[in-house]
Amino acid sequence: MFKRLREDIDCILERDPAARSRWEVLTCYPGLHALWMHRLAHACWNVGLRWLGRFVSHISRLLTGIEIHPGAQVGRFVFIDHGMGIVIGETAVIGEGSTIYQGVTLGGTSTVKGAKRHPTLGRNVIVGAGAKVLGGFTVGDGARIGSNAVVVKEVPPGTTAVGNPARILHKEADAAREQAANRMGFSAYGISQDGDDPLTKALHGLVDHAAAQQRVIDQLVLALERNGIPIEEAKSAVDAVHAVSPSELNKLVDE
């Protein structure tokens, strides 16, 4: 029992830079309290004391703001950060080492009793603040769910799911995109480390890149003209592109 408690506290100290001491974690972290009350509720559930398990779960929700059904399976080294508003359904499974932020729902889309209605999270999964993972599918090991994403289908291991409905970003599919995402950093709260919206930041980057490419094209056109090569059609195409300026596009992104 005490070994498990030390593991839970060490897990929080490693992942939360705001945690300053074991005593602070033990007394002031509702995610830790919710996990321990869930283990009691889950034990009651497994031995057939279903009402008692639900009652313990209910008390835990009142005290911590975190609702975990006593039938849910939660692995070791799981970290619930802040936790307020989290809902975890009956048939949900959370793998070892996973991290779940506030406002997350691991919910179901089926009302069939006895069916696997809620998601299974693999090992070391990160679920960002406000994300909704709905259905009886699997989120693979090492996957990441972005802030406020709505995930309704399987997420392969090692990938990132973002958006509503969520789309999967494959590491192998686009190395350049992954490198850019890594530089920006995973956003559990929907903003970058600089405080910017990651999507807006990425769109601005695309606009700037397109503008830089256009400048190179303009230089090529001028060089061809100096060498006596007729490129009237090319010039018309360039003028057409300049009908919308980069500054105007950036204003559209901000709006």
Side-chain angles (χ1 to χ4, degrees):
M1 174 179 175
F2 290 105
K3 179 181 178 182
R4 191 72 177 271
L5 178 59
R6 284 195 297 271
E7 287 180 351
D8 291 336
I9 293 175
D10 289 341
C11 171
I12 293 173
L13 288 171
E14 289 173 4
R15 299 189 214 174
D16 187 359
R20 295 175 296 178
S21 68
R22 293 177 178 274
W23 178 247
E24 180 181 357
V25 171
L26 182 64
T27 56
C28 301
Y29 273 67
L32 177 66
H33 306 153
L35 286 175
W36 273 85
M37 294 189 74
H38 169 70
R39 287 168 189 160
L40 174 59
H42 187 63
C44 294
W45 186 268
N46 285 340
V47 297
L49 301 175
R50 300 295 173 90
W51 178 86
L52 183 58
R54 288 301 302 268
F55 185 72
V56 172
S57 175
H58 179 66
I59 297 299
S60 176
R61 184 182 66 170
L62 292 176
L63 295 176
T64 67
I66 300 168
E67 180 176 345
I68 309 176
H69 192 284
Q73 302 176 46
V74 181
R76 298 170 66 183
F77 310 112
V78 170
F79 175 33
I80 296 177
D81 197 4
H82 303 295
M84 181 63 70
I86 286 177
V87 177
I88 299 173
E90 177 185 3
T91 62
V93 178
I94 302 175
E96 291 187 1
S98 294
T99 302
I100 299 176
Y101 289 86
Q102 70 272 15
V104 166
T105 298
L106 303 182
T109 56
S110 170
T111 58
V112 179
K113 290 186 177 181
K116 170 65 172 167
R117 308 188 309 278
H118 305 92
T120 294
L121 306 186
R123 298 166 61 93
N124 302 314
V125 171
I126 299 175
V127 186
K132 307 295 183 283
V133 188
L134 309 174
F137 52 84
T138 298
V139 177
D141 294 348
R144 298 178 292 180
I145 308 299
S147 174
N148 294 319
V150 178
V151 184
V152 293
K153 61 182 179 180
E154 184 172 342
V155 179
T159 59
T160 299
V162 296
N164 178 13
R167 63 188 186 279
I168 307 301
L169 305 182
H170 294 274
K171 289 184 178 180
E172 297 81 5
D174 191 342
R177 180 193 299 168
E178 183 63 22
Q179 289 174 2
N182 286 337
R183 287 195 298 271
M184 188 181 298
F186 175 72
S187 174
Y189 296 98
I191 59 174
S192 70
Q193 293 181 358
D194 298 328
D196 300 320
D197 173 19
L199 179 58
T200 300
K201 189 174 180 180
L203 289 173
H204 280 306
L206 289 173
V207 170
D208 293 341
H209 181 66
Q213 285 185 324
Q214 189 59 50
R215 286 193 294 270
V216 173
I217 292 172
D218 291 345
Q219 292 170 1
L220 290 172
V221 168
L222 290 174
L224 290 171
E225 286 182 337
R226 290 194 193 103
N227 287 277
I229 301 174
I231 48 168
E232 294 300 324
E233 294 183 1
K235 283 186 64 177
S236 299
V238 169
D239 293 338
V241 171
H242 283 166
V244 179
S245 68
S247 60
E248 291 174 341
L249 288 174
N250 280 314
K251 288 180 182 178
L252 289 174
V253 170
D254 290 329
E255 291 173 358

